[in-house]
Amino acid sequence: MLRPTGIVNDDEEIIEKMDASPGPVKEALPLTRKKDGSFAENGLLMSRENIDLVSSYAADKLKELGGGILDGEIGMHPYSRKDREACTFCPYGKVCGFDKKLPGYEKRVLPEEGREEILEKMRERCGGSV
């Protein structure tokens, strides 16, 4: 069976309505119950408040990036984080022209941050309106 990946609302009632499969493993959701009945932490459970925050942040970021594209901003700003780089998975490498050997072509180094630090930055950006 195919199970979706992504964020799952942590409300027990919602989880049960989405997937009423018996036993410790949810068939339709990427969740597994521990012996005490709680869900094993896999980073996918999120409160409704935080889901709303992520949604608001994404909408805000989309407006910002869309506005930049409409203003002609199409610069190359690939990221690197630990041992991962955006260029590794990008199918446009042969046509984009990014060359880290040229001056001005630096990758954005993303910091190692946990969920709470990222959510706090989102709250700050959204003005705590969520």
Side-chain angles (χ1 to χ4, degrees):
M1 171 183 237
L2 295 176
R3 292 193 311 177
T5 59
I7 296 170
V8 177
N9 190 316
D10 67 359
D11 184 308
E12 187 78 33
E13 187 177 339
I14 291 172
I15 291 170
E16 289 307 316
K17 286 181 180 179
M18 290 178 70
D19 185 348
S21 57
V25 177
K26 291 295 186 186
E27 292 180 15
L29 297 173
L31 301 173
T32 304
R33 286 197 188 273
K34 297 190 286 187
K35 289 182 181 182
D36 67 2
S38 65
F39 286 104
E41 181 54 46
N42 61 5
L44 299 177
L45 288 173
M46 189 175 280
S47 69
R48 176 60 191 227
E49 177 186 73
N50 285 338
I51 292 171
D52 289 344
L53 172 63
V54 170
S55 179
S56 177
Y57 177 82
D60 188 49
K61 197 70 174 163
L62 183 60
K63 284 181 201 172
E64 175 191 323
L65 295 172
I69 290 170
L70 291 174
D71 289 340
E73 296 174 21
I74 56 169
M76 297 167 284
H77 306 288
Y79 77 88
S80 85
R81 183 177 189 190
K82 278 189 165 182
D83 58 347
R84 297 183 75 175
E85 293 188 350
C87 295
T88 304
F89 306 104
C90 180
Y92 304 106
K94 295 193 189 298
V95 295
C96 95
F98 183 86
D99 186 346
K100 61 184 171 188
K101 296 175 197 159
L102 296 175
Y105 285 82
E106 286 86 27
K107 293 186 178 175
R108 295 173 296 129
V109 178
L110 300 180
E112 289 295 316
E113 296 176 308
R115 175 188 280 203
E116 289 310 312
E117 291 90 0
I118 293 169
L119 290 171
E120 186 55 38
K121 287 183 177 181
M122 288 180 181
R123 280 186 202 91
E124 290 170 10
R125 179 176 176 127
C126 294
S129 61
V130 181

